[in-house]
């Protein structure tokens, strides 16, 4: 493979000289090229696979389409533009699809209004959108007169590949454009698309130019490999990388509403936060406000409305739970400058053209540098305009996260994207699609599948397991309506379609996104309590306590889509109800926080004057004085506590301090200060909790945060945590994690998702929708049947998805290996009856439901004051610098 970075910059004259006269005249209205246009227009015309990384509003999308429109215009003038699809544009958002269609139609309409083109009767270049929302009438019309540029979603391509008539129209596809490729490649939708592109390449006899677009992307070379895939001989295909990511001015600030996040009441902190937001909104024409949860979005809109920050029709919430009509209306009003403030969770962070936003506010931590830049990049929607972002934390750990994210962004650091590999459920779906297309030799199919980046290292036996399952090779499943979708001859090593219904089953059950459903919550005597999200249920373990309707309940068990609980009056919740909505902190940003901790403690221990430390924080993190003061006080309190306990080491990315805290209920809490992000911490905590339960025969409750995790053992027993930690090695970590999650709600729910993707459980059969409740009950029955089958692909994929995609077993194993090699180390503190300041937010995570915010603040204040009073009562007093 030649992974080549674009170095040749082309001038406007050079670009104009290769354009058709009509397009040249239209494009001449622009005075100069933007950086991505300078490097990419001509290479795309030369049919080079190209990955463009450039900020929002930098003209990268138009750079691509200018090249493609020019070629199509040339074909039109030569009478060669037929009723076929020549370009497929793929985006992860339907809203972005419609946006692109509108933006493309404008130049095409203007170009084809030219009198000379009309007089000569040239074929007009057509653009069309095909998604799950496209009506049957529109689809029929599209078949008669297909768009030359098809704008679509990852799932729709796979359906079109098996549509007998439309498939013929796809044989002429020359270009595929994948927009927001960082978002696509990091999920199973990207895995799905990768195989669709290989099938499309096979259909077009290899004539396919691939173009990827993104604003924030890292590692760029890995994403380039994902985009282009592999040749038949196993070599990587060529790709030109246009890296113009850091050409736009950006200004990031961390603004803390108060200088003391411990003693200031929740009411006062929140009031001051809204005052800050009000001032930002007043100073800018349009402000986009990001929260980390949908419930947070609604709450912020409600509070801003109460404060009458702007007129009612100039403020709105935008998130995925709203109807498409409401979202489109808000997007249109944003584009036309009719909104003063829009509050959103994630739905507006991708590249929909939302006009001239002047500032972005992020409440809480965006959880990664890439996410921060993606969101803030929505403001100043052109290269010359400054992107302005204000990060407002409300808790001390969020404050440190925000500060480090800004510091890393200033250095140009980005987080690594996680690209799933060897997903057997997506593979099963595509194998059925391939069988519908033609009869295959297994070796030929395997060769095609391995051209995909996501399956390049797929073992042949895994493909054969999938073929065996899809062909009905497990007789015990037929009694439960799991029938063969394909035939597979193991002697001839061939497979193909089985039955006339398979095409309909495939087309109506395709996709990777599981249905979002609500779960009924009942007491053990069947009294109605309320509803919770299924995502929240899958995180619950028997004994967990959560709030619903302002009251605490203990989770007992679930059956189908019903969770059974018992009232737990007086108990504190162990799982906050918003927890499943939260983005996890990225591993790369978490590591940067560890390094920041090390630097700050080093300065404190070297008696650097407070004034200099505050200056350092402000310079490094662009934090306001209140934020700097709050960070400094947080670290000073931890320093005093560790000195008080005669602990000589300090927190860093290499030192993992473990507290042994016995709480007032006589429970032993092992508090791991492991700043690795929630995905890694969930893996590590489950492994250690499993080993404690197995060896000490005690139930263990687990609290997981981005900054660490807590293992709580009820009824005090002297437990040697060091011995538990030594039981884990890089060789057994993966196996132990799989053992730890067996028989959990998480596996039961995820099995249904994987079984649905694998077409083992159907969402739609002969035009009838099958309810999710029925799907879940079927999946529980099927799971009990396949648990003892060796390497059954759907169950294997369930475990892979949980430990690799939902959790991060790879980096968790790397941490374990670092400990084995002495690169990192656990420092276990002596048993004590008080937790350190750094552990307070972690301990209170379970109590952080909005209903108990004041109680949480009171508890935080009492914990903090107790620590400080004990330290002051001792002989250890840190010198004021």
């Amino acid at each position: 493979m030649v992974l080549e970075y674009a170095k040749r910059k082309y001038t406007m004259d050079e670009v104009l000289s290769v354009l058709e006269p009509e397009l040249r005249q239209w494009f001449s209205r622009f005075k100069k090229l933007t950086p991505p246009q300078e490097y990419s227009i001509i290479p795309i015309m030369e049919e080079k696979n190209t990955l463009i990384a450039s900020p929002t509003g930098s003209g990268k999308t138009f750079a691509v389409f200018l090249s493609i429109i020019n070629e199509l215009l040339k074909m039109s003038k030569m009478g060669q533009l037929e009723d076929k699809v020549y370009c497929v544009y793929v985006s992860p958002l339907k809203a972005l699809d419609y946006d692109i269609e509108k933006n493309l139609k404008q130049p095409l309409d203007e170009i084809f209004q030219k009198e000379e083109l009309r007089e000569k009767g040239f074929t007009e270049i057509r653009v069309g959108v095909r998604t799950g929302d496209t009506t049957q009438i529109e689809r029929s019309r599209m078949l008669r007169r297909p768009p030359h540029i098809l704008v679509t979603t990852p799932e729709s391509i796979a359906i079109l590949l098996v549509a007998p008539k439309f498939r013929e129209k796809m044989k002429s596809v020359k270009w595929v454009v994948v927009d927001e490729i960082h978002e696509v490649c990091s999920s199973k939708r990207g895995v799905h698309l990768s195989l669709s592109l290989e099938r499309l390449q096979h259909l077009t006899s290899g004539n396919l130019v691939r173009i990827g677009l993104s604003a924030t992307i890292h590692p760029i070379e890995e994403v380039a490999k994902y985009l282009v895939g592999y040749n038949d001989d196993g070599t990587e295909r060529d790709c030109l990388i246009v890296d113009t990511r850091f050409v736009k001015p950006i200004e990031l600030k961390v603004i803390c509403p108060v200088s003391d996040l411990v003693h200031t009441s929740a009411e006062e902190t929140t009031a001051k936060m809204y005052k800050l937001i009000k001032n930002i909104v007043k100073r800018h024409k349009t402000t986009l406000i990001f929260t980390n949860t949908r419930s947070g979005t609604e709450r912020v809109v409600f509070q801003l409305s109460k404060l009458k920050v702007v007129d009612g029709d100039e403020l709105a919430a935008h998130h995925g739970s709203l109807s498409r009509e409401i979202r489109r209306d808000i997007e249109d009003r944003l584009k036309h400058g009719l909104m003063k403030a829009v509050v959103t969770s994630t739905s507006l962070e991708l590249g929909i053209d939302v006009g001239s936003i002047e500032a972005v506010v992020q409440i809480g931590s965006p959880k990664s540098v890439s996410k921060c830049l993606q969101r803030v990049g929505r403001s100043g929607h052109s290269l010359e305009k400054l992107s302005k972002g204000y990060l407002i934390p409300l808790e001390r750990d969020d404050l440190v996260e925000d500060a480090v994210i800004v510091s890393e962004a200033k250095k140009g650091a980005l987080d690594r994207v996680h690209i799933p590999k060897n997903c057997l459920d997506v593979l099963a779906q595509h194998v059925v699609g391939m069988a519908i297309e033609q009869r295959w030799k297994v070796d030929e199919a395997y060769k095609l599948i391995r051209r995909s980046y996501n399956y390049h290292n797929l073992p042949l036996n895994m493909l054969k397991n999938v073929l065996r399952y899809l062909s009905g090779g497990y007789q015990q499943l037929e009694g439960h309506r799991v029938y063969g979708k394909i035939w597979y001859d193991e002697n001839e090593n061939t497979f193909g379609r089985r039955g006339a219904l398979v095409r309909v089953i495939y087309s109506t059950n395709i996709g990777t996104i599981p249905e979002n459903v609500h779960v009924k919550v009942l007491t053990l005597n069947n009294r109605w309590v309320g509803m919770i999200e299924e995502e929240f249920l899958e995180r619950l373990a028997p004994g967990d306590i959560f709030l619903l309707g302002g009251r605490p309940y203990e989770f007992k068990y679930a059956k189908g889509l019903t969770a059974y609980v018992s009232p737990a009056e007086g108990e504190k919740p162990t799982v906050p109800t918003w927890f499943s909505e939260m983005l996890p902190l990225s591993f790369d940003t978490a590591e940067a926080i560890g390094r920041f901790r090390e630097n700050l403690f080093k300065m404190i221990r070297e008696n650097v004057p407070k004034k200099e430390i505050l200056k350092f924080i402000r310079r490094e993190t662009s934090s306001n004085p209140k934020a700097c003061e709050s960070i400094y006080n947080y670290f000073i309190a931890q320093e005093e506590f560790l000195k008080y306990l005669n602990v000589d080491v300090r927190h860093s990315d290499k030192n993992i301090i473990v507290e042994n805290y016995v709480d007032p209920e006589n429970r032993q809490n092992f508090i791991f200060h492991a700043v690795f992000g929630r995905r890694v911490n969930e893996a590590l905590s489950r492994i250690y909790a499993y080993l404690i339960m197995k060896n000490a025969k005690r139930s263990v409750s687990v609290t997981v945060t981005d900054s660490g995790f807590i293992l709580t053992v009820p009824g005090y027993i002297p437990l040697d945590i060091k011995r538990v930690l030594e039981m884990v090695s890089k060789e057994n970590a993966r196996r132990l994690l799989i053992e730890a999650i067996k028989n959990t709600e998480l596996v039961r729910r995820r099995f249904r998702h994987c079984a649905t993707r694998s077409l083992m459980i159907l969402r739609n059969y002969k035009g009838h929708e099958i309810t999710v409740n029925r799907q879940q009950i079927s999946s529980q029955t099927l799971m009990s049947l396949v648990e003892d089958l060796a390497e059954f692909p759907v169950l294997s994929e369930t475990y892979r998805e949980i430990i690799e995609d939902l959790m991060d077993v790879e980096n968790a194993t790397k941490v374990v290996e670092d400990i084995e090699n002495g690169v990192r180390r656990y420092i276990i503190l002596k048993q004590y009856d008080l937790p350190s300041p750094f552990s307070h937010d972690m301990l209170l995570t379970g109590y952080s439901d909005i209903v108990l915010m004041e109680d949480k603040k009171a508890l935080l204040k009492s914990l903090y004051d107790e620590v400080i009073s004990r330290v002051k009562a001792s002989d250890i007093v840190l010198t004021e610098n």
Side-chain angles (χ1 to χ4, degrees):
M1 176 189 196
V2 180
L3 256 189
E4 180 193 351
Y5 282 85
K7 293 186 178 66
R8 169 84 156 87
K9 192 192 279 193
Y10 294 88
T11 65
M12 177 64 104
D13 286 343
E14 285 175 302
V15 170
L16 290 173
S17 71
V18 295
L19 295 179
E20 290 297 295
E22 300 79 10
L23 189 54
R24 186 189 311 140
Q25 189 182 344
W26 183 87
F27 192 60
S28 296
R29 68 183 65 186
F30 300 103
K31 300 298 173 223
K32 62 177 184 175
L33 300 172
T34 64
Q37 292 168 354
E38 289 171 330
Y39 288 103
S40 68
I41 290 173
I42 289 179
I44 292 169
M45 285 183 177
E46 292 169 351
E47 299 183 9
K48 290 184 178 177
N49 292 329
T50 308
L51 176 62
I52 306 174
S54 195
T56 303
S58 61
K60 58 183 177 290
T61 309
F62 197 72
V64 173
F65 281 117
L66 190 75
S67 309
I68 294 168
I69 288 169
N70 190 65
E71 188 67 24
L72 294 177
L73 181 57
K74 197 184 292 180
M75 290 169 70
S76 175
K77 290 162 74 175
M78 291 167 69
Q80 296 172 352
L81 194 63
E82 300 177 52
D83 284 344
K84 293 177 179 177
V85 179
Y86 293 93
C87 170
V88 176
Y89 167 92
V90 188
S91 96
L93 287 178
K94 289 177 189 173
L96 195 48
D97 283 341
Y98 290 101
D99 208 49
I100 287 292
E101 183 194 25
K102 279 195 287 188
N103 291 343
L104 271 178
K105 280 186 171 175
Q106 183 198 345
L108 289 174
D109 287 347
E110 290 179 22
I111 289 163
F112 281 91
Q113 289 307 311
K114 300 285 177 195
E115 202 172 316
E116 60 270 27
L117 288 181
R118 285 209 313 274
E119 281 175 2
K120 290 177 182 174
F122 292 134
T123 305
E124 200 166 326
I125 298 168
R126 296 189 295 271
V127 182
V129 173
R130 172 75 182 251
T131 71
D133 295 335
T134 307
T135 65
Q136 197 55 54
I137 293 170
E138 289 171 310
R139 289 176 191 187
S140 301
R141 193 182 298 134
M142 206 174 273
L143 186 58
R144 288 194 302 273
R145 293 186 79 229
H148 302 114
I149 299 173
L150 176 66
V151 180
T152 190
T153 58
E155 295 77 11
S156 295
I157 296 179
I159 294 172
L160 295 173
L161 284 168
V162 299
K165 291 177 183 172
F166 206 92
R167 176 181 166 79
E168 289 301 307
K169 311 290 185 186
M170 301 278 282
K171 284 184 176 178
S172 52
V173 171
K174 186 174 177 179
W175 302 274
V176 173
V177 183
V178 183
D179 204 354
E180 305 291 356
I181 194 168
H182 67 283
E183 186 75 16
V184 175
C185 73
S186 62
S187 70
K188 283 193 174 179
R189 294 185 81 193
V191 180
H192 201 283
L193 176 64
S194 176
L195 276 180
S196 289
L197 293 187
E198 293 311 327
R199 287 168 61 193
L200 182 60
Q201 181 121 358
H202 176 73
L203 179 66
T204 60
S205 305
N207 180 30
L208 207 60
V209 179
R210 304 180 187 216
I211 301 153
L213 306 173
S214 178
T216 53
I217 197 168
H218 178 73
I220 199 165
E221 292 183 9
E222 205 69 17
V223 178
K225 291 175 189 176
Y226 162 80
L227 172 68
V228 298
Y230 294 82
N231 295 307
D232 279 341
D233 62 2
T235 59
E236 294 156 335
R237 295 185 183 118
D238 294 344
C239 187
L240 180 75
I241 297 172
V242 176
D243 186 4
T244 52
R245 285 174 292 183
F246 303 103
V247 296
K248 193 174 191 296
I250 187 162
E251 181 182 278
L252 297 169
K253 289 180 180 173
V254 180
I255 309 175
C256 196
V258 295
S259 52
D260 186 347
L261 285 166
V262 176
H263 294 93
T264 312
S265 70
E267 194 178 9
E268 188 183 341
T269 304
T270 307
K272 291 198 170 173
M273 176 193 77
Y274 284 118
K275 191 177 175 187
L276 279 175
I277 295 172
K278 183 177 180 178
N279 290 336
I280 293 166
V281 170
K282 293 280 186 195
R283 289 201 316 270
H284 299 94
K285 189 184 172 206
T286 308
T287 303
L288 194 55
I289 301 163
F290 283 98
T291 66
N292 284 342
T293 64
R294 289 177 183 180
S295 52
T297 294
E298 294 291 356
R299 197 160 58 244
V300 170
V301 169
F302 176 71
Q303 292 297 338
L304 291 176
S305 300
K306 266 186 18 180
L307 288 170
K308 295 188 168 45
V309 173
V310 294
D311 291 342
D313 56 357
E314 293 180 317
L315 169 71
H318 187 290
H319 55 70
S321 297
L322 298 169
S323 72
R324 189 179 64 175
E325 290 71 26
I326 291 172
R327 291 199 309 272
R328 288 237 186 115
D329 177 55
I330 293 164
E331 288 157 21
D332 285 338
R333 284 193 286 147
L334 256 176
K335 282 175 207 171
H336 295 107
L338 302 175
M339 304 297 292
K340 276 290 284 178
V342 173
V343 189
T344 183
S345 48
T346 58
S347 54
L348 283 176
E349 73 183 29
L350 295 181
I352 305 166
D353 179 9
V354 285
S356 55
I357 290 163
E358 287 190 354
V360 167
V361 171
Q362 165 70 51
I363 300 172
S365 165
K367 297 295 176 183
S368 76
V369 179
S370 300
K371 187 74 70 177
C372 175
L373 293 176
Q374 181 76 39
R375 290 178 170 186
V376 174
R378 307 301 282 133
S379 65
H381 201 82
S382 71
L383 274 184
E384 299 76 30
K385 289 184 181 173
L386 180 70
S387 288
K388 282 202 275 191
Y390 301 93
L391 284 67
I392 305 178
L394 295 174
E395 294 182 354
R396 292 170 302 171
D397 284 341
D398 268 1
L399 168 59
V400 174
E401 278 180 31
D402 281 348
V404 172
I405 283 168
V406 170
S407 173
E408 291 296 293
K410 284 162 73 173
K411 295 171 194 166
L414 290 169
D415 310 273
R416 291 181 66 87
V417 71
H418 166 70
I419 304 176
K421 308 266 178 69
N422 294 340
C423 308
L424 298 183
D425 50 356
V426 176
L427 178 62
Q429 213 172 101
H430 275 277
V431 166
V432 173
M434 290 167 72
I436 293 167
E437 290 170 4
Q438 65 179 72
R439 175 190 177 121
W440 288 86
K441 283 270 186 195
V442 172
D443 292 343
E444 286 301 309
Y446 184 51
K447 196 186 286 185
L448 182 148
I449 290 160
R450 288 184 71 246
R451 289 177 204 147
S452 156
Y453 171 85
N454 305 83
Y455 293 96
H456 187 61
N457 298 314
L458 179 80
L460 181 59
N461 72 300
M462 279 192 174
L463 172 60
K464 289 187 173 179
N465 284 343
V466 169
L467 289 168
R468 212 165 286 125
Y469 144 66
L470 286 171
S471 60
Y474 297 92
Q475 296 296 319
Q476 58 269 58
L477 297 178
E478 287 212 353
H480 296 271
R481 298 185 180 180
V482 180
Y483 304 112
K485 315 289 186 301
I486 65 170
W487 57 262
Y488 170 40
D489 187 327
E490 293 197 48
N491 296 320
E492 293 287 322
N493 220 20
T494 53
F495 70 91
R497 180 182 77 180
R498 180 198 281 189
L501 270 177
V502 175
R503 190 191 304 275
V504 177
I505 287 171
Y506 175 78
S507 299
T508 54
N509 288 277
I510 205 165
T512 60
I513 304 170
E515 291 178 76
N516 285 325
V517 292
H518 283 86
V519 175
K520 282 190 298 188
V521 180
L522 303 178
T523 59
L524 296 175
N525 58 2
N526 287 315
R527 188 172 58 81
W528 171 268
V529 177
M531 306 280 274
I532 56 174
E533 296 282 339
E534 188 182 21
E535 272 183 312
F536 180 62
L537 172 63
E538 72 178 19
R539 300 284 183 155
L540 294 178
D544 278 342
I545 291 160
F546 64 96
L547 284 176
L548 191 57
R551 293 173 182 275
Y553 293 92
E554 183 184 338
F555 173 64
K556 295 294 186 183
Y557 64 93
K559 189 174 179 182
L561 289 178
T562 305
Y564 291 90
V565 299
S566 60
E569 290 301 329
E571 295 286 330
K572 292 165 185 166
T574 56
V575 188
T577 52
W578 45 259
F579 191 70
S580 61
E581 294 181 59
M582 289 288 284
L583 295 163
L585 180 70
S586 78
F587 182 70
D588 294 333
T589 300
E591 288 276 77
I593 291 169
R595 295 190 296 272
F596 178 78
R597 283 181 166 190
E598 182 178 30
N599 288 339
L600 222 52
F601 278 121
K602 188 166 179 279
M603 292 172 81
I604 290 168
R605 301 192 82 194
E606 288 175 355
N607 291 318
V608 173
K610 176 181 177 179
K611 194 171 149 188
E612 291 304 312
I613 296 175
L614 291 174
K615 247 194 231 175
F616 164 79
I617 298 170
R618 182 156 202 170
R619 184 177 67 248
E620 282 289 306
T621 69
S622 300
S623 296
N624 74 338
K626 286 176 181 173
C628 295
E629 188 74 30
S630 200
I631 291 170
Y632 177 79
N633 289 338
Y634 191 25
F635 276 71
I636 285 290
Q638 185 71 6
E639 171 69 18
E640 289 182 344
F641 182 84
L642 293 173
K643 282 185 87 170
Y644 171 65
L645 290 188
N646 293 315
V647 178
D648 195 41
V649 291
R650 296 295 176 264
H651 302 264
S652 74
D653 58 323
K654 302 292 185 280
N655 293 335
I656 307 164
I657 292 176
V658 183
E659 295 181 51
N660 183 353
Y661 160 57
V662 179
D663 64 25
E665 283 83 32
N666 204 33
R667 295 175 304 189
Q668 200 167 13
N669 298 272
F670 294 103
I671 305 171
F672 288 72
H673 293 276
V675 191
F676 299 131
R678 200 163 75 232
R679 289 177 64 228
V680 170
N681 286 341
E682 189 148 4
L684 291 173
S685 62
R686 282 181 185 259
I687 291 169
Y688 296 139
Y690 170 71
L691 289 172
I692 293 171
M693 285 190 279
K694 197 175 168 189
N695 290 282
K697 306 288 186 275
R698 289 293 181 106
S699 64
V700 180
S701 68
V702 180
T703 303
V704 181
T705 75
D706 289 310
S707 302
F709 54 92
I710 305 171
L711 308 176
T712 303
V713 185
Y716 177 75
I717 52 166
L719 185 66
D720 185 358
I721 194 69
K722 188 170 183 285
R723 195 164 103 25
V724 172
L725 299 178
E726 286 168 351
M727 291 178 187
V728 185
S729 66
K730 67 175 181 183
E731 280 77 26
N732 69 12
R734 190 182 182 97
R735 176 181 59 78
L736 286 172
L737 182 55
I738 288 173
E739 284 177 24
I741 61 174
K742 274 182 180 173
N743 305 316
T744 61
E745 204 57 51
L746 186 57
V747 172
R748 285 190 280 275
R749 303 279 143 193
R750 294 283 166 154
F751 179 79
R752 187 193 88 231
H753 297 170
C754 295
T756 306
R757 287 190 204 100
S758 307
L759 308 178
M760 185 183 192
I761 293 169
L762 302 180
R763 289 180 283 117
N764 190 302
Y765 185 64
K766 294 184 178 178
H768 298 290
E769 291 283 337
I770 296 163
T771 66
V772 180
N773 196 36
R774 234 177 98 191
Q775 290 174 37
Q776 182 62 35
I777 290 166
S778 299
S779 81
Q780 285 174 213
T781 305
L782 291 170
M783 189 173 161
S784 64
L785 288 172
V786 302
E787 273 174 320
D788 298 325
L789 297 177
E791 297 183 331
F792 185 74
V794 182
L795 190 58
S796 298
E797 175 54 26
T798 303
Y799 286 116
R800 190 216 61 78
E801 179 184 301
I802 292 170
I803 69 172
E804 291 183 14
D805 302 345
L806 185 67
M807 300 176 198
D808 184 355
V809 72
E810 186 186 337
N811 279 316
T813 305
K814 184 177 177 294
V815 169
V816 171
E817 185 180 359
D818 284 349
I819 289 161
E820 284 179 323
N821 296 335
V823 177
R824 302 182 202 255
R825 57 180 175 152
Y826 283 121
I827 296 104
I828 301 163
L829 305 191
K830 66 180 182 183
Q831 188 180 301
Y832 199 59
D833 66 343
L834 203 59
S836 79
F838 269 21
S839 64
H840 294 173
D841 282 347
M842 222 188 297
L843 278 163
L844 297 176
T845 294
Y847 315 153
S848 325
D849 255 300
I850 195 67
V851 179
L852 295 183
M853 188 55 82
E854 281 303 334
D855 293 349
K856 181 196 166 187
K857 273 285 188 179
L859 198 48
L860 177 63
K861 182 177 176 296
S862 72
L863 277 172
Y864 183 85
D865 289 348
E866 178 66 19
V867 167
I868 299 305
S869 68
R870 284 204 204 176
V871 170
K872 283 184 176 171
S874 73
D875 295 332
I876 299 164
V877 179
L878 200 71
T879 309
E880 180 67 32
N881 293 320

